[in-house]
Amino acid sequence: MSRSQSCCFLGIIITIYFFVFLHPLPNTFASPTRSVCLGDQRDALLELQKEFHVPTTSWNKSTDCCSWEGVTCDDILGKVISLELRYRKANTSLKSSSGLFKLQHLRELDLSFCNLKGKIPSSIGNLSHLTHLHLTYNLLVGEVPSSIGKLNQLEYMDLSYNDLKGNIPISFANFTKLSRLNLYENQFTGGLDIVLPNLTSSTSIQFYCNYFQSFSTDLSGLHNLFSLDGSNNSFVGPFPSSLFMISSLQFLDLSHNQFEGPIDFGNTSSSSMLKQLDLSHNNFGGSVPKSISKLGNLFSLDLSHNNFGGPVPRSISKLLKLDYINLSSNKLEGQVPHVSWRSPNSSEIFTEKCANFAHNSFSSFGESAKLGMLELLDISSNSLQGPIPQWICGIIFVLDLSNNHLSGSIPQCLSKSNNVILRNNSLSGSLPDLCIHDQQLQSLDVSHNNLVGKLPKSLIKCSDMRLLNVRGNKIKDTFPFWLGSLTYLTVLVLRSNAFCGPIYNASAYLGFPRLAIIDISNNNFVGSLPQDYFAKWPEMSLAWNTPESEKYLGDHFYRFHDDSITLVYKGVDMDFVKIFSGFKAIDFSGNQLSGNIPGSIGLLSDLRFLNLSGNAFTCNIPPSLANITKLETLDLSQNNLSGEIPQGLGKLTFLSYINFSHNHLQGLVPRSTQFGSQNCSSFMDNSGLYGLEYICGESNHVSVPTSSQQPDESLSEPEEPVLNWIAAAIAFGPGVFCGLVIGHIFTSYKHEWFIS
Ligand SMILES: *[C@@H]1O[C@H](CO)[C@@H](O)[C@H](O)[C@H]1NC(C)=O
Ligand SMILES: *[C@@H]1O[C@H](CO)[C@@H](O)[C@H](O)[C@H]1NC(C)=O
Ligand SMILES: *[C@@H]1O[C@H](CO)[C@@H](O)[C@H](O)[C@H]1NC(C)=O
Ligand SMILES: *[C@@H]1O[C@H](CO)[C@@H](O)[C@H](O)[C@H]1NC(C)=O
Ligand SMILES: *[C@@H]1O[C@H](CO)[C@@H](O)[C@H](O)[C@H]1NC(C)=O
Ligand SMILES: *[C@@H]1O[C@H](CO)[C@@H](O)[C@H](O)[C@H]1NC(C)=O
Ligand SMILES: *[C@@H]1O[C@H](CO)[C@@H](O)[C@H](O)[C@H]1NC(C)=O
Ligand SMILES: *[C@@H]1O[C@H](CO)[C@@H](O)[C@H](O)[C@H]1NC(C)=O
Ligand SMILES: *[C@@H]1O[C@H](CO)[C@@H](O)[C@H](O)[C@H]1NC(C)=O
Ligand SMILES: *[C@@H]1O[C@H](CO)[C@@H](O)[C@H](O)[C@H]1NC(C)=O
Ligand SMILES: *[C@@H]1O[C@H](CO)[C@@H](O)[C@H](O)[C@H]1NC(C)=O
Ligand SMILES: *[C@@H]1O[C@H](CO)[C@@H](O)[C@H](O)[C@H]1NC(C)=O
């Protein structure tokens, strides 16, 4: 995400909402009029032309300056009243003596995106008739001169996206007609206490992403305020309760500050229009007050990342319009809050309904809830105990109950949901017959539980399945060849169970047309693989950027919904980003596979990760490995491989981790930057490798220690897997789900906004 999206996303949403739904942008720059330009006005403009890059064809001395591009004159007096020089890359500073300040009748001035440098000159105060001032996206720096207070006719002022520093001049209190004030994305410090209460006409005040420290104690006089965004500043102190007395306020974002103490909505106006409240990432504490029910119009509530404790009051169920509630990362206890979910209203931005209660200490599910259209329910990392209640089935999109103490068996009806995450609980029994009645299931993560028995054959009815992770259970079964018929299965993790038998069966059609990540490590699989074994996995040989591959693998992570693309999983993890962009991996390590490594492995040209360590593979390393040009990790350690390391592997430029240790390899080690950057221990315990000086250093010479020798300390460091890819593969969660739906909408509106 870009800085503006991650840091200021809600603020911009507010602005956009304001723009698009309430105040269609007025066309402030009217078409040129027929009045004749006065000489002093023309001369001032020509002075300015020298400072700015203005197209000379239009700004021509011998024509009426009122007809020049960007210039609008007063019909009667012939004075310039509006000047729009947006996107003229002036690359200069505005001098005090600039011709601009002679245009004293200006009402509208737009110098946004002009690359203006230096300070705002104090002669700005000369333009005392200004009603609209646009200076966004310049390199303007330093403090704002206090003479700006002379512009007491201002209705709109935009100083956003600059490098302005220091305090806001007290003279801002003169802006009694100001309706919209944008100060966001600057480096302002100090307080807003003296200024804000006097901006009595303001409807929208946006000052997010600055370093403001103090906040006004009484803002209840701002009767017209609609939206206020002070997120990502350095505010400290108590909850600014006076803001809640403003009944016109609809959007309030004070997230990412250091406010502290309890919150209280006791004085909240009974006619509060507040729709969106974001107090996340502060140090608010105490309990969530009963008085929260006064915010009856809320559709979005974010109190995440604070220190709220105790149970959530039942009165929260009176917030009948809620679409989004995020209470994650607090110290909340007791029952999972009971929220009433109304049916969706397509005329609003927030149509996805999400509830995030993760990272708290909730201990019970409470009574059955009417889940209706709930898209996401995240109660992961709490203290939930006992069985999973049946009523929880039917969360439409993501149900995350991972990292709790849930026990009992897995309810069959969970396949009503698309994505079910039950990782790290104490669930027992065998996997139920999923997808008998409902085929929605796309991903199922039941890793790190106590499941036994076999994988139910009914899983092949889950025709939409993309990801199956049963890692870390006690499942005792043979290799599920039959899963090969699942057309979309992309990630299959059977790691650390009691699977046994061969992974090749001459009579079983392998299938797995879309498999991109397979981890069957640490089981008891045996047997050898035919030479063409890997030839049957089409997905792994497809380049990620081919449309076909994108269509299917991409579909695993995206969902198409109401024309908006939704990222399902936590896209923030670096390793995960790799997977998301087409990462392909095979981990067969820690089994008893034997025979040759099939030469057909070279066909998997898109493979990034290959771990065959800890098996009983014999004979030569197939030279075709050199054809896997994208390979990043290659671990063939702890086998019985013999012969030479194929020289072609030296050409693999992405290879960052190589391990050939504990085999019977001989001959010259390939010379390449990649080999040169390996740890010496990656070659230890082989019978006759040489040419290792450039890896192990001169002192070690050719004497790569064998296990019988005492390796020196630098050689015996534990083998760290370079890429913890599988952790990333399964560490998916609903994290950014809601954010991105909205983010997408935001992007399109942002576009509209900037070009309008
Ligand atoms: C807050 O703003 C600063 C700079 O304006 C930025 O570097 C930082 O990432 C932002 N923090 C958050 C949490 O958005
Ligand atoms: C200002 O700088 C931009 C890029 O730095 C350049 O493209 C443009 O031509 C410059 N304008 C003038 C008037 O020098
Ligand atoms: C300015 O306008 C005059 C008269 O229309 C024309 O002759 C002249 O070429 C123009 N100059 C420029 C620089 O376009
Ligand atoms: C600003 O206004 C004052 C008087 O009103 C005038 O003397 C001065 O020249 C003006 N500054 C500029 C740059 O035009
Ligand atoms: C505020 O506006 C008044 C005119 O209404 C003006 O006289 C005064 O100088 C302004 N104050 C500042 C600090 O600019
Ligand atoms: C703010 O407004 C009040 C009341 O109108 C006034 O007394 C006060 O001087 C103003 N503050 C500033 C800094 O102008
Ligand atoms: C509510 O308003 C009263 C009277 O203005 C005030 O004394 C009290 O401190 C306010 N309570 C809160 C929580 O702001
Ligand atoms: C949907 O939202 C619109 C605009 O906010 C509102 O006028 C309408 O009453 C809402 N409809 C329902 C069914 O909530
Ligand atoms: C598993 O869940 C428990 C209980 O919530 C938690 O303490 C632990 O850190 C989790 N383990 C992992 C590996 O996430
Ligand atoms: C690598 O691929 C090329 C072209 O597909 C093929 O001709 C060659 O035999 C392969 N090399 C090995 C060592 O398999
Ligand atoms: C390969 O698998 C073995 C055994 O499971 C493990 O110890 C090793 O760390 C893995 N190698 C990499 C690079 O992940
Ligand atoms: C809830 O808040 C947390 C922390 O602020 C954030 O990481 C997460 O993405 C939010 N969850 C949802 C579903 O938006």
Side-chain angles (χ1 to χ4, degrees):
M1 271 199 189
S2 71
R3 175 180 168 209
S4 61
Q5 262 174 294
S6 62
C7 128
C8 310
F9 147 67
L10 281 179
I12 296 179
I13 274 286
I14 291 163
T15 315
I16 276 116
Y17 187 94
F18 182 82
F19 257 117
V20 175
F21 297 98
L22 296 169
H23 272 227
L25 189 66
N27 185 6
T28 50
F29 299 104
S31 53
T33 65
R34 259 182 246 111
S35 60
V36 176
C37 182
L38 297 181
D40 66 319
Q41 302 287 295
R42 188 196 58 206
D43 294 345
L45 285 170
L46 288 172
E47 270 184 54
L48 188 61
Q49 182 183 21
K50 286 192 192 130
E51 302 170 46
F52 272 65
H53 186 70
V54 179
T56 44
T57 45
S58 157
W59 286 39
N60 179 337
K61 250 184 265 194
S62 41
T63 60
D64 177 7
C65 74
C66 292
S67 69
W68 293 356
E69 198 185 332
V71 177
T72 309
C73 294
D74 177 86
D75 266 342
I76 300 152
L77 299 172
K79 302 279 190 190
V80 178
I81 53 166
S82 162
L83 186 58
E84 191 244 334
L85 296 177
R86 223 165 222 254
Y87 295 107
R88 315 283 173 194
K89 300 286 180 206
N91 305 344
T92 171
S93 61
L94 262 185
K95 296 177 193 64
S96 272
S97 58
S98 166
L100 177 67
F101 303 114
K102 293 176 182 158
L103 299 170
Q104 301 201 0
H105 297 267
L106 272 184
R107 287 179 221 153
E108 288 161 12
L109 175 62
D110 188 347
L111 300 180
S112 6
F113 305 92
C114 285
N115 279 11
L116 287 172
K117 295 170 182 162
K119 297 194 172 189
I120 300 178
S122 66
S123 10
I124 188 89
N126 273 27
L127 305 178
S128 59
H129 293 96
L130 275 187
T131 58
H132 290 72
L133 176 61
H134 306 250
L135 293 176
T136 186
Y137 271 104
N138 279 291
L139 313 165
L140 280 185
V141 295
E143 299 200 14
V144 177
S146 79
S147 63
I148 204 164
K150 292 192 185 138
L151 312 186
N152 55 17
Q153 302 300 309
L154 274 186
E155 292 164 21
Y156 177 100
M157 178 158 78
D158 190 352
L159 302 180
S160 63
Y161 284 105
N162 281 293
D163 262 322
L164 298 167
K165 292 192 175 67
N167 289 299
I168 295 291
I170 290 175
S171 61
F172 266 49
N174 240 10
F175 298 151
T176 49
K177 294 187 179 168
L178 194 64
S179 165
R180 308 200 32 218
L181 176 61
N182 291 342
L183 300 176
Y184 52 86
E185 298 274 2
N186 277 289
Q187 297 179 42
F188 287 120
T189 51
L192 287 159
D193 310 61
I194 299 172
V195 168
L196 280 194
N198 282 29
L199 304 182
T200 47
S201 298
S202 55
T203 55
S204 162
I205 305 178
Q206 315 288 321
F207 48 94
Y208 52 87
C209 296
N210 277 287
Y211 302 100
F212 285 117
Q213 285 137 13
S214 61
F215 201 83
S216 266
T217 44
D218 188 4
L219 292 175
S220 57
L222 304 184
H223 294 298
N224 300 303
L225 195 60
F226 167 84
S227 153
L228 184 133
D229 190 341
S231 63
N232 199 8
N233 274 283
S234 308
F235 292 120
V236 293
F239 178 65
S241 59
S242 68
L243 277 171
F244 295 84
M245 293 159 77
I246 307 173
S247 56
S248 57
L249 193 62
Q250 296 203 20
F251 295 93
L252 177 60
D253 189 347
L254 296 174
S255 64
H256 293 275
N257 280 292
Q258 278 109 51
F259 285 111
E260 59 192 10
I263 60 173
D264 184 357
F265 303 99
N267 283 351
T268 296
S269 158
S270 58
S271 52
S272 167
M273 296 290 288
L274 201 63
K275 289 192 165 154
Q276 184 177 323
L277 176 61
D278 191 347
L279 300 176
S280 67
H281 291 270
N282 276 287
N283 301 320
F284 287 120
S287 54
V288 176
K290 275 203 183 93
S291 56
I292 196 153
S293 60
K294 286 197 157 189
L295 305 175
N297 284 307
L298 267 195
F299 65 70
S300 167
L301 175 64
D302 195 340
L303 301 179
S304 65
H305 265 278
N306 278 288
N307 293 314
F308 293 114
V312 175
R314 293 182 65 88
S315 65
I316 204 157
S317 64
K318 291 186 184 152
L319 303 181
L320 295 174
K321 295 190 178 170
L322 270 192
D323 280 342
Y324 173 89
I325 181 168
N326 195 341
L327 302 181
S328 68
S329 298
N330 279 289
K331 301 189 176 83
L332 298 165
E333 302 167 359
Q335 290 188 358
V336 172
H338 181 87
V339 181
S340 312
W341 303 102
R342 74 195 165 102
S343 45
N345 187 338
S346 56
S347 65
E348 287 160 335
I349 290 186
F350 293 91
T351 54
E352 305 284 0
K353 302 203 178 349
C354 300
N356 192 341
F357 304 129
H359 296 280
N360 278 291
S361 301
F362 290 117
S363 54
S364 72
F365 283 102
E367 70 228 72
S368 74
K370 228 180 91 186
L371 297 169
M373 298 296 288
L374 195 57
E375 293 270 320
L376 177 150
L377 179 60
D378 185 350
I379 324 179
S380 63
S381 300
N382 275 282
S383 308
L384 295 173
Q385 293 172 1
I388 299 174
Q390 295 274 336
W391 61 257
I392 218 157
C393 294
I395 306 298
I396 291 173
F397 200 48
V398 178
L399 173 64
D400 190 346
L401 299 176
S402 58
N403 301 331
N404 279 289
H405 311 295
L406 297 168
S407 55
S409 56
I410 295 175
Q412 196 181 24
C413 60
L414 282 181
S415 48
K416 280 189 201 309
S417 303
N418 291 135
N419 302 279
V420 176
I421 309 159
L422 304 174
R423 179 172 64 239
N424 186 23
N425 277 286
S426 303
L427 298 165
S428 55
S430 51
L431 261 186
D433 278 325
L434 295 162
C435 303
I436 296 285
H437 306 294
D438 310 284
Q439 274 82 39
Q440 280 94 317
L441 203 58
Q442 294 189 353
S443 60
L444 178 65
D445 180 349
V446 293
S447 60
H448 301 291
N449 278 287
N450 300 320
L451 300 177
V452 294
K454 298 184 173 202
L455 292 179
K457 288 275 194 327
S458 59
L459 277 176
I460 52 172
K461 294 216 166 93
C462 299
S463 53
D464 230 10
M465 183 83 95
R466 268 80 166 149
L467 179 148
L468 179 64
N469 182 2
V470 300
R471 175 183 178 161
N473 281 284
K474 300 188 184 79
I475 297 173
K476 197 168 183 182
D477 201 349
T478 52
F479 185 81
F481 293 101
W482 43 275
L483 281 177
S485 64
L486 292 180
T487 323
Y488 300 107
L489 192 67
T490 312
V491 181
L492 177 62
V493 183
L494 306 180
R495 188 189 186 108
S496 301
N497 276 285
F499 284 93
C500 57
I503 60 170
Y504 169 72
N505 177 344
S507 61
Y509 165 69
L510 201 57
F512 296 106
R514 298 294 155 209
L515 201 62
I517 293 176
I518 178 169
D519 182 352
I520 58 168
S521 64
N522 297 316
N523 280 291
N524 300 313
F525 289 118
V526 295
S528 59
L529 308 174
Q531 279 303 307
D532 66 349
Y533 182 74
F534 292 105
K536 296 178 176 162
W537 289 357
E539 182 63 36
M540 301 237 194
S541 51
L542 278 180
W544 159 248
N545 54 9
T546 63
E548 197 60 358
S549 160
E550 193 160 356
K551 194 169 148 211
Y552 290 100
L553 184 60
D555 200 25
H556 168 54
F557 302 100
Y558 284 112
R559 190 178 61 126
F560 297 89
H561 182 83
D562 294 343
D563 290 334
S564 71
I565 298 170
T566 310
L567 190 61
V568 181
Y569 303 110
K570 225 172 228 155
V572 286
D573 188 305
M574 247 329 275
D575 285 347
F576 192 85
V577 169
K578 287 185 177 178
I579 293 163
F580 167 59
S581 61
F583 192 83
K584 296 174 187 172
I586 293 178
D587 195 338
F588 285 180
S589 67
N591 283 288
Q592 290 131 50
L593 301 171
S594 54
N596 283 347
I597 296 174
S600 57
I601 188 86
L603 293 171
L604 307 186
S605 56
D606 216 29
L607 195 67
R608 313 283 181 91
F609 180 102
L610 179 62
N611 193 348
L612 303 179
S613 162
N615 279 288
F617 285 113
T618 52
C619 304
N620 292 349
I621 296 174
S624 63
L625 276 178
N627 266 3
I628 312 181
T629 49
K630 292 187 179 156
L631 201 62
E632 294 164 11
T633 304
L634 175 61
D635 193 342
L636 301 181
S637 63
Q638 319 244 23
N639 278 290
N640 296 318
L641 297 167
S642 55
E644 301 192 355
I645 297 176
Q647 290 295 318
L649 293 183
K651 298 199 188 91
L652 296 179
T653 48
F654 293 109
L655 209 50
S656 58
Y657 180 88
I658 308 171
N659 198 341
F660 293 114
S661 64
H662 307 288
N663 278 293
H664 311 296
L665 298 168
Q666 304 170 347
L668 182 67
V669 168
R671 274 192 92 84
S672 76
T673 320
Q674 276 65 39
F675 273 74
S677 62
Q678 296 306 308
N679 203 311
C680 184
S681 60
S682 288
F683 301 90
M684 71 191 280
D685 193 14
N686 276 292
S687 42
L689 286 178
Y690 62 91
L692 276 162
E693 296 82 359
Y694 82 109
I695 298 168
C696 297
E698 291 300 331
S699 57
N700 282 300
H701 213 55
V702 190
S703 58
V704 181
T706 62
S707 54
S708 55
Q709 284 173 285
Q710 194 70 334
D712 85 349
E713 221 160 325
S714 69
L715 303 178
S716 63
E717 42 184 72
E719 288 160 24
E720 283 281 313
V722 169
L723 198 61
N724 191 7
W725 65 270
I726 197 62
I730 59 179
F732 63 89
V736 291
F737 165 67
C738 288
L740 282 186
V741 179
I742 301 156
H744 177 75
I745 295 166
F746 145 68
T747 324
S748 43
Y749 281 121
K750 180 181 159 196
H751 187 60
E752 234 174 82
W753 178 40
F754 279 120
I755 58 174
S756 60

